[in-house]
Amino acid sequence: MEKVFPKHDLRPPPGAAADWTIPQDWRSYTAGEHAVWDRLFTRQSAMLRDRASPAFLRGLDVLRMSKPGIPDFEELSERLAGLTGWRVAAVPGLVPDDVFFRHLANRTFVAGRFIRRPDQLDYLQEPDVFHDVFGHVPLLADPVFADYMQAYGEGGLRSQSFDALHRLARLYWYTVEFGLVRYGGALKLYGAGIVSSHGESVFALDDPSPNRIGFDLRRIMRTQYRIDDFQQTYFVVDSFQELLSRTLETDFAPLYRELAQSSDLPPDAVLETDLVIHGGDQTYAKSKAAP
Ligand code: PHE
Ligand code: FE
């Protein structure tokens, strides 16, 4: 749900409701589709055991996500609603930003229902049900992260009147999609884009190439990101409580106004004012850039 759509004149496709949701139609998944989920699930849950944040792992557990097959959104929503009041609803693909924000503000996470093909296990540009559900849903069982996602939706709706949607998109990108969190002196993964990716689960924590920098709201809102490859910089929060407090207690309006006067930063920038946890050597990005 990262794409920025034109603001107006987008209607839900035929068969979708006014809020863009569609039935998941869980019964129509084939055995082959369930098998793709199972392969991805087995591989990622083993990989993440000592890499993901404890909150993510707890979410997998309390939501019983190890149950074989693509999760049934109704069943998943019942469990999740009992814990934090969140629900999961299917959508046909990417939805317009205001639709996405409104769902978040109402504690509904919209997810793709389709699953990648067996030859796409490692990389897929569009978010499928594995990215959306395995990647995003476990943290919605965490009460603090659940509140952050709702606040983000409300903030997203508000940002539209400041023409600052791209600022909020960057915040989403560098937290919800690609965030790291400190835990007991180590760094752990929580971003959905990382935990749903086999390669990036290793790269984000272990590789010397990317920067790892302490969370800074203003800094993140100035930073461009890459959608086509591993990130060049990851931002690290001390806790989800820090993430929630900082974003909730800051009025973004003056920030948007101030940032309109300052330049954007490239994805690999390191500033004097950054809290650098690891200064990346960018060897990976450079190797890709070479002709
Ligand atoms: N405090 C933000 C604002 O004034 C709203 C927000 C909260 C945005 C949490 C993102 C996350 O707009
Ligand atoms: Fe995502």
Side-chain angles (χ1 to χ4, degrees):
M1 308 298 149
E2 286 61 66
K3 235 161 132 184
V4 176
F5 279 81
K7 265 188 201 146
H8 305 289
D9 69 54
L10 270 169
R11 298 277 164 275
D19 67 358
W20 285 66
T21 59
I22 55 171
Q24 182 195 12
D25 196 11
W26 186 81
R27 285 177 189 286
S28 71
Y29 287 119
T30 65
E33 288 173 322
H34 285 303
V36 169
W37 171 281
D38 290 342
R39 278 172 69 189
L40 288 164
F41 185 91
T42 304
R43 192 169 77 153
Q44 265 331 79
S45 51
M47 162 74 87
L48 295 173
R49 208 155 299 151
D50 51 320
R51 295 178 167 269
S53 74
F56 177 87
L57 298 173
R58 216 176 303 125
L60 284 183
D61 189 44
V62 295
L63 295 172
R64 311 263 202 283
M65 294 213 2
S66 61
K67 183 175 169 182
I70 298 168
D72 178 339
F73 291 1
E74 273 176 42
E75 199 182 308
L76 191 58
S77 293
E78 285 308 303
R79 274 226 163 81
L80 193 53
L83 294 163
T84 57
W86 275 79
R87 303 197 145 264
V88 180
V91 283
L94 292 170
V95 302
D97 295 301
D98 60 319
V99 174
F100 182 59
F101 292 143
R102 200 160 299 121
H103 279 299
L104 291 180
N106 289 311
R107 291 197 171 235
T108 300
F109 191 78
V110 291
R113 66 166 303 286
F114 82 98
I115 190 149
R116 66 195 75 184
R117 297 189 315 261
D119 61 313
Q120 298 172 312
L121 292 197
D122 289 319
Y123 186 75
L124 188 72
Q125 181 119 30
E126 254 191 297
D128 71 342
V129 66
F130 186 73
H131 168 81
D132 280 339
V133 173
F134 179 90
H136 286 281
V137 174
L139 281 183
L140 296 173
D142 180 89
V144 178
F145 200 84
D147 285 354
Y148 173 65
M149 291 292 278
Q150 178 186 347
Y152 180 88
E154 290 163 357
L157 292 171
R158 184 172 183 236
S159 76
Q160 296 183 306
S161 55
F162 296 95
D163 225 4
L165 213 106
H166 64 296
R167 305 271 175 221
L168 263 214
R170 289 171 182 172
L171 176 62
Y172 192 86
W173 191 262
Y174 282 119
T175 61
V176 179
E177 293 292 353
F178 292 96
L180 304 182
V181 58
R182 274 186 213 271
Y183 191 81
L187 301 185
K188 298 283 179 185
L189 310 171
Y190 76 87
I194 308 176
V195 298
S196 62
S197 157
H198 197 61
E200 201 150 359
S201 298
V202 174
F203 181 84
L205 280 190
D206 297 354
D207 204 281
S209 186
N211 301 315
R212 298 179 186 88
I213 295 176
F215 176 84
D216 175 339
L217 198 52
R218 180 185 279 100
R219 162 69 157 95
I220 287 176
M221 291 204 275
R222 290 179 62 197
T223 312
Q224 298 159 342
Y225 56 80
R226 316 190 47 148
I227 59 161
D228 57 340
D229 208 336
F230 295 156
Q231 299 306 301
Q232 291 180 271
T233 299
Y234 298 94
F235 289 94
V236 181
V237 292
D238 283 331
S239 63
F240 296 147
Q241 190 56 58
E242 180 202 21
L243 182 59
L244 178 63
S245 307
R246 290 273 175 85
T247 49
L248 209 56
E249 289 160 13
T250 304
D251 179 1
F252 285 22
L255 216 50
Y256 294 147
R257 254 174 255 128
E258 177 201 321
L259 290 175
Q261 312 302 319
S262 73
S263 56
D264 279 350
L265 299 168
D268 63 345
V270 179
L271 309 181
E272 299 255 321
T273 45
D274 284 341
L275 186 84
V276 179
I277 296 160
H278 168 83
D281 60 20
Q282 301 296 341
T283 41
Y284 173 80
K286 283 178 198 151
S287 75
K288 284 292 198 83

